[in-house]
Amino acid sequence: MPDQTVIYYYADAKTTHTTYCDGLEVLQFSNGQIEKHYPDGKKEITFPDQTIKNLFTDGQEESIFPDGTIVRVQRDGSKTIEFNNGQRELHTSQFKRREYPDGTVKTVYTNGHQETKYISGRVRVKDKDGNILMDTKV
C-alpha cells in the first residue's frame, strides 16, 4: 500500500495478515478472532465472544471477559480473578483465597483445610471433610 502497509490474504486459511509501517501486525481469522502483535512483543487476542487476552513480554497474562471478569496470571503461575460482583480470588500453589465485598475472606489450603475470617473478627476453621475445628464466635 502507499503508506507502507502490507496486506496478505491466505485463501486456504481465510486469514488476513496486515503489517503496518510502525511494526504492528494484525491477523484476522475467519472465525472472527483478531490477533494484534505489537513491536515490543506484547500480543492482544480478541476472541469471537469478545474475550480479550493480553500476553505480555514478561510472561504475565491478562484475560478480560465480556461479563467484566478479569483473570491475571503471573509468571510464577499464581492467578488473580476479579469478578464483576466485587469478589476477588487468588490462586497459588499453596491455597485458593476468595475475598468478598463485605470483608469476609475464605481460604482453602491444598490439604483441604478451610479458614474463613469474617469482618467481625470471627474465625472458623474446618478440616478437609468440613468438620469444624475452631470457631471463634465474637
Side-chain angles (χ1 to χ4, degrees), residues 70-82:
I70 300 172
V71 177
R72 292 184 179 91
V73 181
Q74 304 301 319
R75 288 184 356 207
D76 65 1
S78 63
K79 182 187 298 187
T80 303
I81 305 167
E82 296 176 10

Side-chain angles (χ1 to χ4, degrees), residues 98 100 102-107 114-126 132 134-138:
R98 183 170 283 223
Y100 296 87
D102 69 358
T104 301
V105 177
K106 182 174 184 175
T107 305
Q114 300 176 28
E115 178 182 276
T116 306
K117 294 181 180 181
Y118 299 91
I119 192 70
S120 65
R122 176 183 177 191
V123 177
R124 184 171 55 197
V125 179
K126 295 181 180 180
I132 297 175
M134 181 184 82
D135 195 344
T136 61
K137 295 181 182 175
V138 180

Side-chain angles (χ1 to χ4, degrees), residues 27-95:
L27 293 98
Q28 296 175 293
F29 299 91
S30 61
N31 67 354
Q33 179 174 317
I34 299 171
E35 292 188 14
K36 294 180 182 177
H37 297 206
Y38 293 90
D40 66 0
K42 176 188 169 204
K43 294 180 183 178
E44 177 184 290
I45 304 167
T46 304
F47 294 96
D49 71 353
Q50 297 309 300
T51 295
I52 299 171
K53 184 171 198 167
N54 292 299
L55 304 170
F56 299 98
T57 56
D58 63 1
Q60 296 184 64
E61 297 180 11
E62 176 185 71
S63 297
I64 304 168
F65 294 89
D67 70 355
T69 300
I70 300 172
V71 177
R72 292 184 179 91
V73 181
Q74 304 301 319
R75 288 184 356 207
D76 65 1
S78 63
K79 182 187 298 187
T80 303
I81 305 167
E82 296 176 10
F83 297 95
N84 62 5
N85 62 4
Q87 295 180 18
R88 187 172 182 260
E89 274 192 18
L90 175 61
H91 297 193
T92 71
S93 59
Q94 291 86 30
F95 63 84

